Amino acid sequence: MRLRVIAAGVLLAWLVPGTAVGVVTRVDRHGTTLVDGRKVFPIVLAKGPERGAVTPDGADAVDELVSAGVNFLKVGPASGVWSEADTADAVAWNGEAAKRGVYTWINLSTLSRARPGSRLETRLRRVIGTLKRDPSGRAIGMWKGAEEPWRYRIPPASLGFAYCVATGRNRAACAGRRPADTDHLWVTVQAPRGSPPGLARFSSVTDVHGVNYYPVSLGNPDPALGEVGRWTRRLAAATPKRSVWTTLQICWSWSYDAEGNFALPSRREERYMIYDAILNGARNLAFYGGHNPSCWSQTDSVFRWNWTFWNDVLAELVREISAASPIAPALVNPGSTRVLESDDPTVQAISRRGAGGDLWVIAARSGAGSRPVTIGGLPAWATAAGVYTEGRSVTAADGSFTDTFDRWDVHVYRFRPGSGHELP
């Protein structure tokens, strides 16, 4: 009897108000991710450290990532069709995420071509059902669909049944069978290939449509960082509501060689790619490859994740765009986006509304060399701005201002109505 009381108490702790099992994820009309109706800008690790890991400083690894602003963790096997051990591991990961108030992105790619009555359908339903029934299922945020289906010539029609089973959408594809879930978004990430019309064919079998682009590679002195934005823009053009997901690199197959050499993005490069994606429509960002041992330092090999890249590059950038950051309200307000003028064709600039009427301007430059750039199209009241994270300010007059940009520079400005330009 005592054990039953304890078990009931534990279950009740999972079910107290504010921590109800099972969030609902959707996208709004501007493609922003909603978690129980709350606007969220997902920052995803694909994948993070092993469960139970610690940082080189001895801190809990997941605590470190979440405290910086990571709010989604990729979970599940990249290959194989979900063994019992995989399911148990996903349940455990959901528990780790739930304890910290963050979410999981569950990889169902190996089950995404299930057919009615097939073993894959049985496995797909079993995985979804097991994960949802466990109290930790409140951490499930999104499902992951097929891996790069356009590249691998997987026709959208072959993905419709699993999409319907996992979401309840595109009901005609369910072949009269009941969905296993109707509460979560389905994400399909493409390789940087295909035309907008060809990619648009997948819109009927996904809720969020993404692309991965990794321009930094070993031996390449001039990576085409601007391709991140170009491919994000292409996916946006192919996706209703522009619910676009961009996966950025930590380490991938061209980052390293067989002799142990590797090249990873610098902070400047990674920051440019982050904002280039946002400028061109990304509503979600993922970072891929921290778990790849081919890009680990000696210390990383001991702690089994790329803590060197995290500490030197990524942690600070995640904090810069996290839900706790000053810019967060603008990141989840893409409906307010306005394209601004520039006297440099290699500069892309937009404005968005943030909290309290703040106007945020994001500008990035891909052109060679360094030069002053004038950006226009601002409202008349916007006369002074702090430059986010840079500890300096600019002044504007008649709707424009001038600032200096090097290649791959990103400057982010915060204009505050009726005040000066102070900004931390």
Side-chain angles (χ1 to χ4, degrees):
M1 179 63 70
R2 184 171 181 270
L3 290 176
R4 290 179 182 174
V5 171
I6 292 172
V10 171
L11 180 58
L12 183 61
W14 285 93
L15 295 173
V16 294
T19 58
V21 171
V23 300
V24 176
T25 53
R26 294 288 186 266
V27 294
D28 70 10
R29 64 191 182 95
H30 299 295
T32 302
T33 299
L34 304 177
V35 179
D36 283 343
R38 176 173 53 91
K39 292 182 178 183
V40 172
F41 188 84
I43 300 173
V44 189
L45 282 185
K47 287 184 171 181
E50 296 170 351
R51 194 161 37 82
V54 297
T55 72
D57 294 331
D60 181 271
V62 180
D63 285 347
E64 162 67 17
L65 303 173
V66 170
S67 68
V70 171
N71 52 13
F72 278 78
L73 299 167
K74 187 179 181 184
V75 173
S79 59
V81 287
W82 278 85
S83 66
E84 296 303 319
D86 291 328
T87 305
D89 184 63
V91 168
W93 264 116
N94 283 340
E96 293 296 316
K99 286 189 295 186
R100 296 166 174 86
V102 297
Y103 308 99
T104 55
W105 181 36
I106 308 292
N107 191 355
L108 300 180
S109 61
T110 61
L111 305 175
S112 64
R113 301 185 73 180
R115 299 286 187 179
S118 67
R119 291 182 180 179
L120 282 186
E121 180 193 358
T122 300
R123 187 65 58 87
L124 176 63
R125 291 182 179 276
R126 182 182 303 156
V127 169
I128 292 174
T130 300
L131 297 183
K132 286 190 65 179
R133 283 191 298 271
D134 190 86
S136 67
R138 76 175 196 261
I140 299 169
M142 305 183 193
W143 309 115
K144 181 181 184 297
E147 184 71 24
E148 301 182 349
W150 194 97
R151 175 187 181 186
Y152 292 111
R153 300 182 181 180
I154 301 172
S158 71
L159 304 174
F161 179 68
Y163 170 64
C164 184
V165 167
T167 67
R169 290 178 282 282
N170 192 15
R171 289 298 288 268
C174 267
R177 297 168 183 260
R178 294 186 63 181
D181 180 41
T182 59
D183 293 337
H184 301 102
L185 293 170
W186 183 273
V187 182
T188 300
V189 180
Q190 304 279 3
R193 292 179 171 86
S195 64
L199 293 166
R201 295 171 55 232
F202 293 88
S203 294
S204 64
V205 295
T206 196
D207 301 308
V208 180
H209 208 179
V211 66
N212 55 59
Y213 196 87
Y214 312 140
V216 177
S217 58
L218 187 65
N220 179 7
D222 188 23
L225 305 183
E227 289 295 289
V228 169
R230 186 173 79 88
W231 278 101
T232 300
R233 189 165 62 250
R234 178 166 291 194
L235 263 293
T239 305
K241 298 184 181 179
R242 297 179 177 263
S243 50
V244 176
W245 173 297
T246 305
T247 302
L248 304 177
Q249 76 178 97
I250 298 175
C251 171
W252 69 302
S253 56
W254 286 13
S255 297
Y256 54 88
D257 62 20
E259 283 72 50
N261 302 302
F262 58 85
L264 303 182
S266 66
R267 183 189 180 279
R268 181 188 193 83
E269 291 170 332
E270 193 78 18
R271 188 171 188 263
Y272 179 89
M273 291 188 285
I274 286 171
Y275 282 104
D276 193 34
I278 292 169
L279 279 163
N280 286 281
R283 312 301 196 236
N284 319 259
L285 288 179
F287 297 92
Y288 173 81
H291 61 300
N292 189 331
S294 296
C295 294
W296 289 351
S297 70
Q298 189 171 15
T299 298
D300 298 334
S301 296
V302 173
F303 292 92
R304 301 190 57 76
W305 198 67
N306 207 318
W307 291 108
T308 301
F309 186 80
W310 173 259
N311 289 324
D312 292 350
V313 174
L314 194 55
E316 181 183 349
L317 297 177
V318 167
R319 291 188 182 95
E320 187 174 320
I321 60 169
S322 75
S325 70
I327 199 175
L331 296 182
V332 295
N333 191 19
S336 68
T337 301
R338 298 291 181 270
V339 177
L340 301 180
E341 307 159 0
S342 168
D343 65 352
D344 183 338
T346 73
V347 170
Q348 188 175 3
I350 63 169
S351 68
R352 280 193 191 173
R353 292 287 181 172
D358 289 356
L359 185 72
W360 289 82
V361 172
I362 302 171
R365 183 172 183 267
S366 60
S370 176
R371 60 157 289 183
V373 174
T374 298
I375 294 170
L378 300 174
W381 64 261
T383 58
V387 188
Y388 187 43
T389 76
E390 296 186 36
R392 62 187 182 90
S393 60
V394 298
T395 56
D398 299 323
S400 67
F401 67 94
T402 300
D403 200 3
T404 300
F405 285 75
D406 292 330
R407 192 182 194 198
W408 309 131
D409 260 356
V410 177
H411 298 315
V412 181
Y413 310 90
R414 184 186 189 181
F415 291 89
R416 308 177 80 171
S419 67
H421 45 251
E422 67 277 359
L423 186 71

